[in-house]
Amino acid sequence: IFNIDLTNVEQQFNEVTIFNILGEKVFSAEVSPKELNSINLSNLAKGYYLARLSSDTETTTIKLIKN
């Protein structure tokens, strides 16, 4: 389970997309702005991933390590 806490974030992110280290999209889901969102990544192998949070006007990317 990966928690995305958007409660104190000014941007209105509404989607998360997960990419593997090769840049292949492996997961995508809608998220709720201004809330704590949980996504289940149990089907993904251990390793490094990038999570891209997107809104209508902005995008940010964070690194993930699944143990």
Side-chain angles (χ1 to χ4, degrees), residues 17-66:
T17 308
I18 309 292
F19 297 91
N20 64 18
I21 200 69
L22 301 174
E24 301 167 326
K25 181 169 74 169
V26 295
F27 181 86
S28 183
E30 291 184 10
V31 293
S32 300
K34 304 295 182 188
E35 293 185 17
L36 178 62
N37 295 267
S38 296
I39 56 175
N40 186 349
L41 301 179
S42 62
N43 61 327
L44 298 181
K46 293 179 181 180
Y48 293 94
Y49 295 89
L50 296 175
R52 182 170 63 197
L53 292 165
S54 304
S55 70
D56 294 337
T57 59
E58 196 167 343
T59 301
T60 191
T61 303
I62 56 174
K63 297 177 197 175
L64 299 177
I65 300 174
K66 184 168 185 239

